[in-house]
Amino acid sequence: MSNNKSLSQYITLVPSSVMIGVFFMVPFVLIIMASVAVKTPDGDFSYGFDLTHFERFMTWFYIERALFSAAMCALISCISLLIAFPFTYMLTQFKERTKTLWLIYILAQLSLSEVLIAFSWQVLFSRKAGIGNILEYTGIIEKSFAMAPSAGAVIAALVYLAVPFAILLLYPALSRMDRSLIEAARTLGTSTLGTFFRIVIPVNRSALVSSSVTIFVLTLGAIIVPQVLGKPEHWTLSVLITDQAIFNFNLPFASALAVVLLLLSGSVVAAVMKFGGEK
Amino acid sequence: MKLLRNAYLIIFAIYLIGPIFVITAVSFNSKKFLAFPPKGFSFRWYAEIFIDNGWFNSLISSLLIAAASAILAVLIALPVAYAVWKSGLRYAKALFSLGVAPFILPPVIMALAFLLLFSSIGMNGLMINVIIAHAMFLLALPLVTISLGLESVDRALLEAAQTMGADGKTVFRTVILPIAAPFAFAGFAFCFVLSLNEYIIALMTVGFTVETLPIKIFNALRYGYTPVIASIAVLFLLINVVVFGLIAKFSNLSRILGAMD
């Protein structure tokens, strides 16, 4: 009887197992296989073992791209957490209704396509319909100018993309935080700012660390913003992967770059979790 | 102190909402070019989405793909989440972790993986490809929301129902389903919205045959601005707000976002 029962439990899992197996495990293995595939003269490739794609990555051009991507995303992760943390802290203290309305808006903005965010910031940074016009209108600058493409534009738009994520990542920890700690500090005469820096931030240290890693990986995956708001020298690994796969039809090299991206994000996650998790 | 706090809140709100505000203003322009402050006022760029065949077809395919992939994702997630909750089967837990993984990886990796899969089995550019790909990529969302829903079922209620003589099916239909259904809906809604807005996976699976809205917008961006994009941005934001508003109304948003145990 109990054997029958557990068998029927497994049977209900068969369709889901097939889907996850065929459409996640297999494609994932295919990427790894394609990254060492052999290119054939007709521009296609056949599965085999060839490390030339990784050798091609080991040139300064691509290594520099990888380092640039990592550095820029680390910077974006820090800025967006700095912006989002105080707001999230205040958000948890709002009235229930206000809180829900804010959360709905933040979720709505977070889900907005990266294409649309890139477009919005392209408009904001344009000469004719953006911040430049507002500054010209108010007389702060004499003549409006285009602020994109530039590294600053890419960073600004990616921070804007990351802030809603940062809020939602910090939100659980900050809402569950033990409020009596703050009251105790206040009773003992610590100022509001002092409490914030000496109690609120240290107590939420692990949430800050894990959120920073998540945002790092998230922005590393951005594809459209660097293309629309940056010059080719601001392209990240993700953009290069897309470029190789779609426009150069070089699937093995795209796969090799994807493996590098996977290793890069994986090792950063592991390193930060190891050192940030201590204490 | 209060002043500092309020000043920060106002600046933050402007930062968050400002760009959306500018885009909204631009979308009501009456001229063909983008201008802010807007010149004139008209709804023509909203009408354009529905009049112009290209934009309208993209909107319809995007909605179709989003709805189909969200249903598929919920169907795949349901048995897994249920088995984890009901029996704590180790195999089900492993499936659960595997199902969550695609969402954590950078999307371009999943996109490339699907491109390799579909091209190696000769299924090129079919709409079903992107439906499956989106369902797999977003599977984590219904998995998590349905689990949260099941965890909120009070075990005492189940025992009570069984003591009163209800069989397994009746318990599922009368106790578990009503409590878990809103959370399953939340999973569906999250998937729907994110699929609607997703670009790179759609591009790599069906980019050359089906133009979803994000793909069409990106293609349009390369040939210069059109205010239609601004009106689509506003339309999408509205769809997102409505969907998340519904989730907030019918299930527990704070709980889904992890604010409560």
Side-chain angles (χ1 to χ4, degrees), chain B residues 168-257:
Chain B
K169 272 187 191 142
T170 317
V171 174
F172 183 81
R173 195 166 45 82
T174 56
V175 183
I176 301 174
L177 206 58
I179 300 178
F183 288 87
F185 169 75
F188 168 84
F190 269 105
C191 276
F192 179 83
V193 161
L194 290 179
S195 162
L196 203 58
N197 285 283
E198 203 283 330
Y199 167 78
I200 186 66
I201 293 177
L203 178 74
M204 290 216 194
T205 47
V206 295
F208 294 107
T209 50
V210 186
E211 247 189 339
T212 64
L213 265 186
I215 296 177
K216 187 164 170 63
I217 293 167
F218 186 68
N219 291 341
L221 273 183
R222 285 195 258 173
Y223 303 111
Y225 303 95
T226 152
V228 180
I229 304 176
S231 60
I232 290 173
V234 176
L235 180 72
F236 267 35
L237 192 75
L238 281 178
I239 294 178
N240 295 358
V241 167
V242 168
V243 169
F244 292 120
L246 284 175
I247 296 180
K249 198 165 162 61
F250 292 111
S251 69
N252 191 335
L253 198 60
S254 270
R255 193 188 174 91
I256 290 174
L257 297 174

Side-chain angles (χ1 to χ4, degrees), chain B residues 51-65:
Chain B
I51 296 168
D52 183 282
N53 268 334
W55 288 111
F56 187 67
N57 288 341
S58 288
L59 177 67
I60 295 299
S61 8
S62 278
L63 289 173
L64 263 176
I65 290 166

Side-chain angles (χ1 to χ4, degrees), chain A residues 5-6 9-10 12-13 15-17 19-28 30-32 34 45 47 82-88 90 93-94 96 99-100 102-124 126 128-130 133-134 137 156 159-161 163-164 167-168 171-173 175-176 192-193 217-218 220-221 223-224 227-228 238 241-242 245-247 249 251 254-256 258-259 261-262 265, chain B residues 1 4-6 8-9 12-13 15-20 22-23 26 33-37 72 75-81 83 86-87 89-92 95-96 98-99 101-102 104-110 112-121 132 135-136 139 143 190 193-194 196-200 203-204 208 213-215 217-218 221-222 225-227 229-233 236-237 240-242 244-246 248 253-254 257-261:
Chain A
K5 206 173 167 190
S6 70
Q9 277 173 352
Y10 280 103
T12 55
L13 289 175
S16 304
S17 309
M19 288 302 285
I20 293 173
V22 174
F23 294 107
F24 175 57
M25 307 281 276
V26 173
F28 200 75
L30 279 179
I31 280 209
I32 295 168
F45 64 92
Y47 291 109
L82 271 178
I83 296 176
F85 191 89
F87 174 76
T88 316
M90 291 175 195
Q93 294 167 322
F94 285 168
E96 207 51 48
K99 206 183 335 191
T100 310
W102 266 109
L103 286 175
I104 292 172
Y105 178 77
I106 289 161
L107 274 168
Q109 192 192 312
L110 166 141
S111 314
L112 205 56
S113 183
E114 196 197 336
V115 180
L116 292 170
I117 300 281
F119 166 74
S120 309
W121 283 83
Q122 197 179 30
V123 172
L124 282 174
S126 69
K128 281 189 185 146
N133 284 75
I134 299 172
Y137 196 71
V159 167
Y160 187 74
L161 199 73
V163 162
I167 296 172
L168 290 188
Y171 181 70
S175 350
R176 290 175 186 195
T192 316
L193 272 183
V217 175
L218 179 99
L220 212 48
I223 288 174
I224 295 137
Q227 282 181 77
V228 172
S238 292
I241 295 172
T242 315
I246 299 278
F247 302 106
F249 304 105
L251 288 176
S255 304
V259 171
L261 177 65
L262 206 60
S265 34
Chain B
M1 195 55 225
L4 192 71
R5 186 191 135 100
N6 286 340
Y8 166 79
L9 267 180
F12 186 84
Y15 171 69
L16 213 58
I17 300 172
I20 304 290
V22 171
I23 293 307
V26 165
F33 49 84
L34 297 173
F36 184 82
L72 184 60
L75 288 179
I76 301 172
L78 252 175
V80 179
K86 177 94 184 178
S87 53
L89 224 53
R90 194 176 291 165
Y91 176 71
L95 266 186
F96 191 100
L98 277 177
I104 303 166
L105 296 171
V108 68
I109 292 182
M110 286 315 294
L112 187 63
F114 286 119
L115 175 64
L116 285 167
L117 176 76
F118 289 123
S119 64
S120 61
I121 55 175
I132 294 173
M136 291 312 299
L139 188 57
L143 275 175
F190 269 105
V193 161
L194 290 179
L196 203 58
N197 285 283
E198 203 283 330
Y199 167 78
I200 186 66
L203 178 74
M204 290 216 194
F208 294 107
L213 265 186
I215 296 177
I217 293 167
F218 186 68
L221 273 183
R222 285 195 258 173
Y225 303 95
T226 152
I229 304 176
S231 60
I232 290 173
F236 267 35
L237 192 75
N240 295 358
V241 167
V242 168
F244 292 120
L246 284 175
L253 198 60
S254 270
L257 297 174
M260 296 186 249
D261 291 303

Side-chain angles (χ1 to χ4, degrees), chain A residues 80-89 91-92 163-177 204-212 215, chain B residues 257-258:
Chain A
S80 54
L81 281 174
L82 271 178
I83 296 176
F85 191 89
F87 174 76
T88 316
Y89 178 60
L91 178 69
T92 57
V163 162
F165 281 93
I167 296 172
L168 290 188
L169 286 166
L170 294 169
Y171 181 70
L174 282 168
S175 350
R176 290 175 186 195
M177 193 178 67
N204 292 292
R205 185 188 143 96
S206 67
L208 273 167
V209 170
S210 62
S211 311
S212 70
I215 295 171
Chain B
L257 297 174

